[in-house]
Amino acid sequence: MKPRVRFAPSPTGYLHIGGARTALFNWLYARHTGGTLVLRIEDTDAARNSQEAVDVILKGLRWLGLDWDEGPLTADATGPCKGDRGPYFQSQRKSHYTARVEDLLARGLAYEHEGAIKFKMTREPITIPDLVVGDVVRPLTDREQLDPDWVLVRSDGQPVFHFVNVVDDLEMGITHVIRGEDHLSNTAKHIALFRAFGVEPPRYAHIPLILNGDGSKMSKRDKGASLTTYLDEGFLPEAVDNYLCLLGWSPKDNLEKIPLSEVVERFDLPQILRHNAKFDFEKLLWLQGEYCRELAPERFHELAVHALTHEGVDIHALDANYVQAALATCRGKIKTFAELPAYAGFYFREDIAYDPEAATKAFIPENKPRLEKVRDAFDALAAFDAAGIEAALKATAVGLGVKVGALIHPTRLAVTGHPHGPSLYHLLEVLGKDRVRHRIEKALGSFPA
């Protein structure tokens, strides 16, 4: 039988980066083995769950490209889920849990206690065979020796997580449970319950936790903890997928940039590392930059337009060729698309603000006559292209007896408002002679008297 794995998040907030990594590892194992990935939303806690949180989870999985193979048919045809299937929802499976409780009660393996229903837990130590951690023996704690039984259904009729989790894994035929190591302490309960139902439990693989760089546990307030951050800041899903693969798994040949298709070929559970993984945002940024540099022009343009529009930059009234040429000067220059409005916004707005610190250094009295000479040199150009602009600036610098850098910095600030950005000669060509002249004239009026 081919493996059947599941990703089973609770819709109580955002999708944590650890949850995204768990989803990815389950997806990788299913694709590597030709198995099945089941998506299940564990939403029995009605007080804490929300449809908004469900939507965030589904959006995150679809953004990462993690399609699932099994779930009920849905009218929602968006996203990559095969056969237009949505996830299972535990809230829609209450009859299954009721039947399983009645079975345990009938066989004397559960009993009523103060309005709740408790499971008769074994008194013997349980060995948890784990594909990552190794065999873990779970003896009863001192407190459990007095009363090891645990609640299946609360007094309000609500089944608990441990119970519904096992019932669903059993009925959905899950063969491998790949989840965070923080669930390891609960696994003895799950194994005992599987055996009470007369079946052997699935094979477990508890993957290492993701920690902050200082070794502390990652909380929702920590940088990079929410997958939504990466959507909002213009990361590429292939870069995030690549980085998540490296948090607890190693291809064993020191590869860092590795496409997901190759990871699928290499990935297996014994390769998952035992020690906790430390989140390195700078390494993720490096990978993002590498993937961004390799983007096809068409995709870069599409993502750039989306990022600009998202930030309220109106480009639709501009000539399409102008927009395309402007964005072409930014390829390979940014790491995330969230940087683009600040990096290239000067192309798309007429009123530009000067960086105060840069203006203090560049808009000084001695630079005013130099910028006037630059303006005159540009006016004299018959063809306002990058090569002609470069030659004109260099010739002007020679005539003034200064290095060309003395002209580049005030010119760049005059036309963009920033001390850094795309190649000056190319951005000037894109802006065009009239717009450049207008901006230089405006900048000349900003020099101190």
Side-chain angles (χ1 to χ4, degrees):
M1 179 180 179
K2 289 188 175 180
R4 289 175 57 83
V5 297
R6 47 73 163 179
F7 177 54
S10 297
T12 56
Y14 66 99
L15 180 57
H16 190 276
I17 198 71
R21 193 270 309 262
T22 297
L24 175 60
F25 278 22
N26 276 278
W27 183 88
L28 286 168
Y29 189 63
R31 298 295 168 263
H32 175 76
T33 61
T36 298
L37 173 61
V38 176
L39 179 60
R40 184 173 79 222
I41 303 296
E42 300 193 333
D43 62 341
T44 55
D45 189 350
R48 298 180 61 211
N49 299 328
S50 70
Q51 183 59 46
E52 181 182 4
V54 172
D55 293 341
V56 167
I57 291 169
L58 299 183
K59 181 180 179 181
L61 294 178
R62 288 165 174 163
W63 182 74
L64 290 170
L66 305 183
D67 55 330
W68 55 94
D69 306 297
E70 188 173 308
L73 287 172
T74 174
D76 178 11
T78 62
C81 48
K82 294 184 178 178
D84 299 335
R85 291 183 176 272
Y88 291 106
F89 288 89
Q90 286 184 333
S91 59
Q92 299 171 5
R93 292 176 46 79
K94 291 182 180 179
S95 61
H96 296 260
Y97 311 136
T98 299
R100 290 288 179 174
V101 167
E102 290 174 351
D103 171 62
L104 292 173
L105 287 169
R107 293 189 291 123
L109 299 175
Y111 59 93
E112 293 189 36
H113 176 74
E114 297 181 354
I117 299 175
K118 298 185 74 173
F119 174 65
K120 286 186 178 180
M121 184 66 177
T122 178
R123 271 59 178 167
E124 300 299 322
I126 291 179
T127 298
I128 305 167
D130 193 279
L131 295 170
V132 175
V133 180
D135 287 355
V136 177
V137 179
R138 176 73 163 81
L140 296 176
T141 64
D142 292 341
R143 181 179 178 181
E144 288 172 336
Q145 286 177 351
L146 297 174
D147 182 16
D149 299 343
W150 50 277
V151 172
L152 296 173
V153 181
R154 300 187 186 97
S155 57
D156 62 1
Q158 186 71 31
V160 303
F161 160 79
H162 302 296
F163 174 54
V164 296
N165 184 277
V166 168
V167 170
D168 286 343
D169 283 349
L170 189 162
E171 296 190 355
M172 295 177 185
I174 302 303
T175 63
H176 294 72
V177 173
I178 306 168
R179 61 188 181 188
E181 193 175 324
D182 50 332
H183 289 284
L184 183 59
S185 60
N186 303 321
T187 305
K189 292 180 178 180
H190 299 178
I191 289 175
L193 191 53
F194 272 110
R195 291 175 178 164
F197 286 127
V199 297
E200 280 300 303
R203 303 190 72 184
Y204 290 95
H206 287 91
I207 58 182
L209 301 179
I210 299 176
L211 306 178
N212 290 313
D214 61 4
S216 61
K217 188 175 180 180
M218 221 176 187
S219 75
K220 65 182 181 180
R221 293 176 297 277
D222 291 322
K223 184 177 182 180
S226 171
L227 186 68
T228 304
T229 300
Y230 305 105
L231 280 79
D232 292 344
E233 294 190 5
F235 278 76
L236 295 170
E238 52 265 47
V240 177
D241 280 331
N242 189 154
Y243 184 65
L244 290 178
C245 289
L246 303 177
L247 291 176
W249 174 81
S250 172
K252 295 183 183 283
D253 52 9
N254 296 320
L255 272 181
E256 292 189 321
K257 186 175 180 294
I258 176 170
L260 206 56
S261 58
E262 187 173 339
V263 178
V264 168
E265 295 178 8
R266 294 170 172 239
F267 186 87
D268 208 352
L269 299 179
Q271 298 166 351
I272 295 177
L273 305 175
R274 178 66 186 87
H275 57 270
N276 290 329
K278 288 188 177 181
F279 190 86
D280 185 345
F281 195 80
E282 291 304 313
K283 185 172 181 179
L284 171 57
L285 269 180
W286 171 78
L287 275 171
Q288 165 70 15
E290 293 297 300
Y291 278 97
C292 200
R293 272 190 288 274
E294 296 175 358
L295 280 179
E298 298 79 10
R299 187 165 178 228
F300 182 90
H301 183 88
E302 177 187 354
L303 294 172
V305 168
H306 175 77
L308 290 167
T309 304
H310 181 72
E311 290 300 312
V313 180
D314 185 12
I315 64 172
H316 300 293
L318 299 172
D319 178 75
N321 292 329
Y322 173 79
V323 173
Q324 186 172 17
L327 294 179
T329 67
C330 303
R331 285 188 64 224
K333 306 293 186 180
I334 59 171
K335 287 186 177 180
T336 71
F337 284 90
E339 300 171 10
L340 193 61
Y343 185 81
F346 65 88
Y347 280 123
F348 311 112
R349 60 176 68 97
E350 290 305 320
D351 293 326
I352 59 172
Y354 305 118
D355 177 272
E357 183 177 350
T360 300
K361 295 178 181 178
F363 291 172
I364 54 178
E366 64 196 69
N367 276 344
K368 186 172 184 179
R370 294 173 180 173
L371 193 55
E372 290 172 339
K373 289 288 187 182
V374 170
R375 176 201 60 196
D376 296 341
F378 288 169
D379 282 346
L381 287 174
F384 200 71
D385 55 27
I389 291 167
E390 181 178 5
L393 268 179
K394 289 180 177 178
T396 303
V398 170
L400 292 170
V402 298
K403 293 182 178 180
V404 71
L407 304 182
I408 285 176
H409 298 305
T411 302
R412 176 184 292 279
L413 190 65
V415 298
T416 71
H418 294 280
H420 308 289
S423 162
L424 178 64
Y425 306 129
H426 292 90
L427 75 83
L428 289 171
E429 177 182 341
V430 172
L431 286 170
K433 182 187 284 190
D434 291 344
R435 189 179 280 113
V436 168
R437 192 182 204 288
H438 172 75
R439 293 188 182 186
I440 290 177
E441 288 288 358
K442 179 184 175 183
L444 288 170
S446 300
F447 278 76

